[in-house]
Amino acid sequence: MFANAWRERRLIAQLIRREVLGRYRGSIMGVAWSLLYPLLMLTVYTFVFSMVFEAKWPGALAGQSKSRFAMLLFIGVIAHGLIAEAITKAPTLITGNASYVKKVIFPLETLGWSMVGSAVFHALISIGILLAAKWLLEGWIPPTACWLPVILLPLVLIALGATWLLASLG
């Protein structure tokens, strides 16, 4: 599985690029939406949950930032978005790319890699915004942020497996 993905890495990178650019084709701001959308979401979450609802994480200390609940919620939204983006597009993955599928030598598994790669691209942008917000609002980024790749790897592999399963069923 990984050896074939490594062999086809250029094709996968081109398909990911096409998927990301195709998502924003025809919009006014283009690819800038991939940066602006998570930034707006985090801003709205922070305002609503810290100012309007005054939500606090259970067991939170009195000196913790009011925006902490919104950031924790945003982490869940990032994980959900990664899985949801891959799963919702998977059933039409093969039928939507019929021109590639009809080629005799086209490796079908690269379509799953490209779909998940696009979801990972958007998740990484959201994580970057989350870390920047954490640094701006609280003044530091926890050292445990170094574990993010280790935590995201199983999530990405689950999304990839689900994508392949649903694409084959679709």
Side-chain angles (χ1 to χ4, degrees):
M1 172 173 83
F2 294 111
N4 191 28
W6 181 254
R7 254 191 327 271
E8 303 293 340
R9 67 187 178 275
R10 289 189 184 111
L11 174 63
I12 292 170
Q14 288 176 351
L15 289 172
I16 291 171
R17 184 172 187 263
R18 184 186 73 125
E19 182 73 30
V20 169
L21 293 176
R23 181 175 181 172
Y24 301 106
R25 186 174 294 131
S27 67
I28 294 172
M29 294 180 57
V31 181
W33 276 114
S34 65
L35 182 68
L36 189 60
Y37 180 71
L39 184 63
L40 289 173
M41 271 194 349
L42 184 59
T43 304
V44 168
Y45 289 155
T46 303
F47 174 74
V48 169
F49 287 106
S50 65
M51 302 295 186
V52 177
F53 293 141
E54 295 183 10
K56 291 184 176 39
W57 193 254
L61 301 174
Q64 287 184 339
S65 170
K66 285 185 170 186
S67 60
R68 186 168 178 85
F69 185 82
M71 285 193 266
L72 290 170
L73 179 68
F74 192 62
I75 291 169
V77 169
I78 292 170
H80 174 267
L82 194 146
I83 294 287
E85 185 176 342
I87 288 178
T88 56
K89 294 180 181 179
T92 60
L93 187 62
I94 294 177
T95 57
N97 293 298
S99 59
Y100 292 142
V101 174
K102 291 179 182 177
K103 306 281 187 212
V104 175
I105 58 170
F106 185 79
L108 286 177
E109 63 274 1
T110 58
L111 293 174
W113 282 105
S114 69
M115 185 65 57
V116 172
S118 170
V120 167
F121 170 79
H122 292 101
L124 289 176
I125 288 177
S126 296
I127 288 171
I129 289 172
L130 177 72
L131 292 176
K134 176 87 169 158
W135 182 66
L136 288 172
L137 294 172
E138 296 183 6
W140 66 291
I141 296 174
T144 54
C146 296
W147 288 100
L148 278 173
V150 175
I151 293 169
L152 284 178
L153 182 65
L155 190 64
V156 169
L157 292 176
I158 288 169
L160 181 64
T163 299
W164 282 339
L165 175 71
L166 292 173
S168 66
L169 292 174

